[in-house]
Short mmCIF file of all heavy atoms in Angstrom, two decimals:
data_model
loop_
_atom_site.label_atom_id
_atom_site.label_comp_id
_atom_site.label_asym_id
_atom_site.label_seq_id
_atom_site.Cartn_x
_atom_site.Cartn_y
_atom_site.Cartn_z
N GLY A 97 14.78 -0.75 6.90
CA GLY A 97 15.20 0.36 6.05
C GLY A 97 14.50 1.67 6.37
O GLY A 97 13.43 1.69 6.97
N GLY A 98 15.15 2.76 5.97
CA GLY A 98 14.55 4.07 6.13
C GLY A 98 14.46 4.53 7.58
O GLY A 98 15.03 3.92 8.48
N GLY A 99 13.71 5.60 7.81
CA GLY A 99 13.50 6.13 9.15
C GLY A 99 12.13 5.74 9.66
O GLY A 99 11.39 5.01 9.01
N LEU A 100 11.78 6.26 10.82
CA LEU A 100 10.52 5.89 11.45
C LEU A 100 9.31 6.33 10.63
O LEU A 100 8.33 5.59 10.51
CB LEU A 100 10.43 6.49 12.85
CG LEU A 100 11.22 5.76 13.93
CD1 LEU A 100 11.10 6.49 15.25
CD2 LEU A 100 10.72 4.35 14.08
N SER A 101 9.36 7.52 10.03
CA SER A 101 8.23 8.01 9.24
C SER A 101 8.01 7.14 8.00
O SER A 101 6.88 6.77 7.68
CB SER A 101 8.48 9.46 8.83
OG SER A 101 7.45 9.92 8.01
N GLY A 102 9.10 6.81 7.32
CA GLY A 102 8.99 5.94 6.15
C GLY A 102 8.52 4.54 6.52
O GLY A 102 7.75 3.92 5.79
N GLN A 103 8.98 4.05 7.68
CA GLN A 103 8.56 2.73 8.12
C GLN A 103 7.08 2.70 8.45
O GLN A 103 6.38 1.74 8.13
CB GLN A 103 9.39 2.29 9.33
CG GLN A 103 10.82 1.92 8.95
CD GLN A 103 11.60 1.39 10.12
OE1 GLN A 103 11.15 1.42 11.27
NE2 GLN A 103 12.79 0.88 9.85
N ALA A 104 6.58 3.77 9.08
CA ALA A 104 5.14 3.84 9.39
C ALA A 104 4.32 3.87 8.10
O ALA A 104 3.28 3.21 8.00
CB ALA A 104 4.84 5.06 10.24
N GLY A 105 4.80 4.61 7.11
CA GLY A 105 4.12 4.65 5.81
C GLY A 105 4.14 3.30 5.11
O GLY A 105 3.17 2.90 4.48
N ALA A 106 5.26 2.57 5.25
CA ALA A 106 5.36 1.25 4.65
C ALA A 106 4.42 0.26 5.33
O ALA A 106 3.77 -0.56 4.66
CB ALA A 106 6.80 0.75 4.74
N VAL A 107 4.30 0.35 6.65
CA VAL A 107 3.38 -0.54 7.38
C VAL A 107 1.94 -0.22 6.97
O VAL A 107 1.13 -1.13 6.76
CB VAL A 107 3.58 -0.39 8.90
CG1 VAL A 107 2.48 -1.12 9.66
CG2 VAL A 107 4.94 -0.93 9.31
N ARG A 108 1.61 1.06 6.83
CA ARG A 108 0.25 1.44 6.43
C ARG A 108 -0.07 0.90 5.04
O ARG A 108 -1.15 0.37 4.80
CB ARG A 108 0.12 2.98 6.44
CG ARG A 108 -1.27 3.45 6.06
CD ARG A 108 -1.38 4.94 6.14
NE ARG A 108 -0.94 5.56 4.90
CZ ARG A 108 -1.24 6.80 4.53
NH1 ARG A 108 -1.93 7.57 5.34
NH2 ARG A 108 -0.82 7.28 3.40
N HIS A 109 0.87 1.02 4.11
CA HIS A 109 0.68 0.53 2.75
C HIS A 109 0.51 -0.99 2.74
O HIS A 109 -0.40 -1.54 2.09
CB HIS A 109 1.87 0.96 1.89
CG HIS A 109 1.75 0.60 0.45
ND1 HIS A 109 2.75 -0.05 -0.23
CD2 HIS A 109 0.75 0.78 -0.45
CE1 HIS A 109 2.37 -0.25 -1.48
NE2 HIS A 109 1.16 0.24 -1.64
N GLY A 110 1.38 -1.68 3.48
CA GLY A 110 1.29 -3.14 3.55
C GLY A 110 0.02 -3.62 4.22
O GLY A 110 -0.59 -4.60 3.80
N LEU A 111 -0.40 -2.93 5.28
CA LEU A 111 -1.63 -3.28 5.99
C LEU A 111 -2.84 -3.12 5.08
O LEU A 111 -3.74 -3.97 5.06
CB LEU A 111 -1.78 -2.41 7.24
CG LEU A 111 -3.05 -2.56 8.07
CD1 LEU A 111 -3.23 -4.00 8.52
CD2 LEU A 111 -3.01 -1.62 9.25
N SER A 112 -2.86 -2.08 4.29
CA SER A 112 -3.97 -1.85 3.35
C SER A 112 -4.03 -2.97 2.31
O SER A 112 -5.12 -3.49 2.02
CB SER A 112 -3.80 -0.51 2.64
OG SER A 112 -3.68 0.53 3.56
N LYS A 113 -2.88 -3.34 1.77
CA LYS A 113 -2.85 -4.41 0.77
C LYS A 113 -3.24 -5.75 1.38
O LYS A 113 -3.95 -6.55 0.76
CB LYS A 113 -1.45 -4.48 0.13
CG LYS A 113 -1.18 -3.35 -0.84
CD LYS A 113 0.25 -3.26 -1.27
CE LYS A 113 0.75 -4.47 -2.02
NZ LYS A 113 2.13 -4.30 -2.51
N ALA A 114 -2.79 -6.00 2.62
CA ALA A 114 -3.13 -7.26 3.29
C ALA A 114 -4.62 -7.33 3.60
O ALA A 114 -5.23 -8.40 3.49
CB ALA A 114 -2.31 -7.41 4.57
N LEU A 115 -5.22 -6.19 3.96
CA LEU A 115 -6.66 -6.17 4.22
C LEU A 115 -7.45 -6.49 2.95
O LEU A 115 -8.45 -7.19 3.00
CB LEU A 115 -7.09 -4.80 4.75
CG LEU A 115 -6.90 -4.55 6.23
CD1 LEU A 115 -7.22 -3.11 6.58
CD2 LEU A 115 -7.74 -5.49 7.06
N THR A 116 -6.98 -5.97 1.80
CA THR A 116 -7.67 -6.29 0.55
C THR A 116 -7.48 -7.75 0.16
O THR A 116 -8.37 -8.32 -0.47
CB THR A 116 -7.21 -5.39 -0.61
OG1 THR A 116 -5.80 -5.52 -0.76
CG2 THR A 116 -7.57 -3.94 -0.37
N ASN A 117 -6.36 -8.34 0.55
CA ASN A 117 -6.18 -9.78 0.29
C ASN A 117 -7.09 -10.61 1.18
O ASN A 117 -7.55 -11.67 0.77
CB ASN A 117 -4.72 -10.19 0.52
CG ASN A 117 -3.81 -9.70 -0.58
OD1 ASN A 117 -4.28 -9.35 -1.66
ND2 ASN A 117 -2.53 -9.67 -0.34
N PHE A 118 -7.33 -10.13 2.40
CA PHE A 118 -8.19 -10.88 3.33
C PHE A 118 -9.67 -10.63 3.03
O PHE A 118 -10.46 -11.57 3.05
CB PHE A 118 -7.87 -10.48 4.78
CG PHE A 118 -8.35 -11.47 5.78
CD1 PHE A 118 -7.56 -12.55 6.13
CD2 PHE A 118 -9.60 -11.34 6.36
CE1 PHE A 118 -8.00 -13.48 7.05
CE2 PHE A 118 -10.05 -12.27 7.28
CZ PHE A 118 -9.25 -13.34 7.63
N GLU A 119 -10.03 -9.37 2.79
CA GLU A 119 -11.43 -9.01 2.48
C GLU A 119 -11.44 -8.20 1.19
O GLU A 119 -11.32 -6.99 1.21
CB GLU A 119 -12.03 -8.17 3.60
CG GLU A 119 -12.50 -8.95 4.79
CD GLU A 119 -13.28 -8.07 5.75
OE1 GLU A 119 -14.40 -7.66 5.38
OE2 GLU A 119 -12.75 -7.79 6.82
N PRO A 120 -11.59 -8.83 0.03
CA PRO A 120 -11.54 -8.11 -1.25
C PRO A 120 -12.60 -7.02 -1.40
O PRO A 120 -12.39 -6.06 -2.13
CB PRO A 120 -11.76 -9.22 -2.29
CG PRO A 120 -11.34 -10.46 -1.62
CD PRO A 120 -11.68 -10.27 -0.17
N GLU A 121 -13.71 -7.11 -0.68
CA GLU A 121 -14.75 -6.08 -0.81
C GLU A 121 -14.33 -4.75 -0.17
O GLU A 121 -14.98 -3.73 -0.41
CB GLU A 121 -16.08 -6.56 -0.21
CG GLU A 121 -16.05 -6.94 1.25
CD GLU A 121 -15.68 -8.40 1.48
OE1 GLU A 121 -15.32 -9.10 0.51
OE2 GLU A 121 -15.74 -8.83 2.64
N LEU A 122 -13.25 -4.73 0.61
CA LEU A 122 -12.75 -3.48 1.20
C LEU A 122 -11.92 -2.67 0.23
O LEU A 122 -11.56 -1.53 0.53
CB LEU A 122 -11.89 -3.78 2.44
CG LEU A 122 -12.58 -4.38 3.65
CD1 LEU A 122 -11.58 -4.65 4.74
CD2 LEU A 122 -13.67 -3.46 4.13
N ARG A 123 -11.63 -3.23 -0.93
CA ARG A 123 -10.75 -2.56 -1.89
C ARG A 123 -11.24 -1.17 -2.28
O ARG A 123 -10.46 -0.22 -2.35
CB ARG A 123 -10.57 -3.43 -3.13
CG ARG A 123 -9.61 -2.83 -4.14
CD ARG A 123 -9.35 -3.79 -5.29
NE ARG A 123 -8.65 -3.09 -6.35
CZ ARG A 123 -7.33 -2.90 -6.36
NH1 ARG A 123 -6.58 -3.36 -5.38
NH2 ARG A 123 -6.75 -2.26 -7.37
N GLY A 124 -12.53 -1.02 -2.53
CA GLY A 124 -13.07 0.28 -2.94
C GLY A 124 -12.89 1.35 -1.88
O GLY A 124 -12.49 2.48 -2.18
N VAL A 125 -13.14 1.00 -0.63
CA VAL A 125 -13.00 1.96 0.48
C VAL A 125 -11.54 2.37 0.64
O VAL A 125 -11.23 3.56 0.78
CB VAL A 125 -13.51 1.32 1.79
CG1 VAL A 125 -13.28 2.25 2.97
CG2 VAL A 125 -14.98 0.98 1.67
N LEU A 126 -10.63 1.39 0.61
CA LEU A 126 -9.22 1.69 0.81
C LEU A 126 -8.62 2.44 -0.37
O LEU A 126 -7.76 3.30 -0.21
CB LEU A 126 -8.44 0.39 1.07
CG LEU A 126 -8.81 -0.31 2.38
CD1 LEU A 126 -8.13 -1.66 2.46
CD2 LEU A 126 -8.44 0.54 3.58
N LYS A 127 -9.08 2.11 -1.58
CA LYS A 127 -8.58 2.80 -2.77
C LYS A 127 -9.03 4.26 -2.76
O LYS A 127 -8.27 5.16 -3.12
CB LYS A 127 -9.06 2.10 -4.03
CG LYS A 127 -8.41 2.62 -5.29
CD LYS A 127 -8.00 1.47 -6.18
CE LYS A 127 -7.43 1.93 -7.47
NZ LYS A 127 -6.03 2.32 -7.36
N LYS A 128 -10.28 4.49 -2.35
CA LYS A 128 -10.80 5.86 -2.29
C LYS A 128 -10.04 6.69 -1.27
O LYS A 128 -9.82 7.88 -1.46
CB LYS A 128 -12.29 5.83 -1.94
CG LYS A 128 -12.99 7.15 -2.18
CD LYS A 128 -14.49 7.01 -2.01
CE LYS A 128 -15.08 6.34 -3.23
NZ LYS A 128 -16.54 6.27 -3.21
N GLY A 129 -9.60 6.04 -0.17
CA GLY A 129 -8.81 6.74 0.85
C GLY A 129 -7.37 6.95 0.45
O GLY A 129 -6.63 7.67 1.13
#
Side-chain angles (χ1 to χ4, degrees):
L100 282 177
S101 177
Q103 287 185 351
V107 170
R108 181 177 86 162
H109 184 230
L111 176 57
S112 305
K113 286 170 62 176
L115 277 174
T116 56
N117 286 343
F118 199 87
E119 280 189 70
E121 59 271 7
L122 293 178
R123 183 174 169 82
V125 175
L126 294 172
K127 189 136 177 81
K128 194 171 283 185

